[in-house]
Amino acid sequence: MAKAAKKSGRASKEPVTRDYTIHLHKYMQKVSFKKRAAKAVRVVRQFAGKVMLTKDVKVDTKLNKFLWSNGVRNVPRRVRIRLSRKRNEDEDAKEKMFTLV
């Protein structure tokens, strides 16, 4: 019975908002210059999906502009982000929840 209670607590995905700092510098090791900013966006998406337990992750345009602000080569060393897990309003959506970064 304890397992069932624990499992149901883990599976319940309710809307929530949290703040995180991602240290992008450690993910940019040995990445070629022309792929750094794109890789940073992918890392943010991957981090958000892992932390918020959703497959559908939407990156805000301001965050995208910040990651690309120094050009493709010089990605900011760290970025402070706010992750919001929200209900999907679309009727035909595959996932019930999505994450807004």
Side-chain angles (χ1 to χ4, degrees), residues 1-2 5 10 14 35-36 47-48 54 59 74 80 89:
M1 184 166 157
R10 177 75 171 168
E14 295 183 5
K35 297 179 181 178
R36 280 176 169 236
F47 179 84
T54 59
V59 176
N74 302 315
R80 186 97 172 126
E89 300 298 327

Side-chain angles (χ1 to χ4, degrees), residues 38-54:
K39 170 83 171 177
V41 175
R42 279 199 305 271
V43 164
V44 169
R45 279 180 174 274
Q46 185 180 8
F47 179 84
K50 186 172 76 172
V51 169
M52 288 295 188
L53 304 173
T54 59

